[in-house]
Amino acid sequence: NNLENFYLWSLGSYKLILNNNNLNETNIIARNFKNAELLNLALNKITNISNGFFSSSFKLLELYLNSNNIMEIESEAFVNLKLLKKLDLSHNLIERINSNTLRTLSKLEYLNLSYNYLSFVDKSFFNTLHLLFKLDLSNNKLKSIEDFSFKNL
């Protein structure tokens, strides 16, 4: 539980589990997870997912970012994760997600956004998520869901 810096220059493994450490976005060189199919960064101290954070993670199928302190996810954060099937962002501090953030995740089947602070669901938010079969928005602060928000699911 003391891992504070993590650098991988050549990852040969297909599954990388780094949950329950003291990692944050400044001491993870995530662009080097190029061969990982599963990346578990749950229970760390990540607060922001910036554009290009996963820029070389082309093979990633499952990404666990749950139980961090994520408040912001930039609109291009997941742009190269075209094979991603499972994304867990539960138990964070997310108040809103730009509708473009998920646009390239057309293979996504499972999305967990539970236990955040989301108050609104935009009708274009799920436009490209045609394969999504499990969506968890429970325990948020939802006040409004636009008409036809889930029409493409």
Side-chain angles (χ1 to χ4, degrees), residues 52-103:
F53 191 78
F54 298 104
S55 62
S56 296
S57 303
F58 300 109
K59 296 181 181 179
L60 210 53
L61 300 174
E62 296 182 39
L63 178 58
Y64 299 90
L65 293 165
N66 51 298
S67 303
N68 276 283
N69 296 312
I70 298 171
M71 297 187 311
E72 182 181 5
I73 302 171
E74 294 183 14
S75 63
E76 303 286 322
F78 303 130
V79 75
N80 289 330
L81 303 182
K82 294 178 180 13
L83 300 177
L84 196 67
K85 292 183 175 192
K86 189 169 191 175
L87 177 58
D88 191 340
L89 291 163
S90 64
H91 296 273
N92 278 293
L93 305 171
I94 302 167
E95 292 182 12
R96 64 182 180 86
I97 297 178
N98 183 305
S99 60
N100 289 324
T101 303
L102 304 177
R103 79 180 182 288

Side-chain angles (χ1 to χ4, degrees), residues 106-118:
S106 61
K107 303 265 193 242
L108 202 64
E109 298 174 354
Y110 172 87
L111 176 60
N112 191 344
L113 289 165
S114 65
Y115 292 93
N116 277 289
Y117 294 91
L118 296 171

Side-chain angles (χ1 to χ4, degrees), residues 118-143:
L118 296 171
S119 60
F120 179 76
V121 174
D122 183 283
K123 68 181 174 185
S124 64
F125 190 74
F126 304 108
N127 272 356
T128 60
L129 304 181
H130 303 291
L131 299 178
L132 195 68
F133 67 85
K134 181 162 185 189
L135 170 64
D136 192 344
L137 292 167
S138 61
N139 295 294
N140 273 284
K141 306 292 181 198
L142 288 173
K143 295 177 185 170

Side-chain angles (χ1 to χ4, degrees), residues 1-7 17-29 33 39-47 68-69:
N1 291 356
N2 290 349
L3 187 61
E4 292 183 6
N5 289 296
F6 187 76
Y7 304 96
I17 300 168
L18 295 168
N19 62 305
N20 203 19
N21 284 291
N22 289 313
L23 295 170
N24 63 48
E25 59 278 2
T26 61
N27 58 17
I28 299 172
I29 309 295
F33 299 151
L39 179 57
N40 188 338
L41 291 168
L43 293 158
N44 277 289
K45 303 203 182 315
I46 299 169
T47 60
N68 276 283
N69 296 312

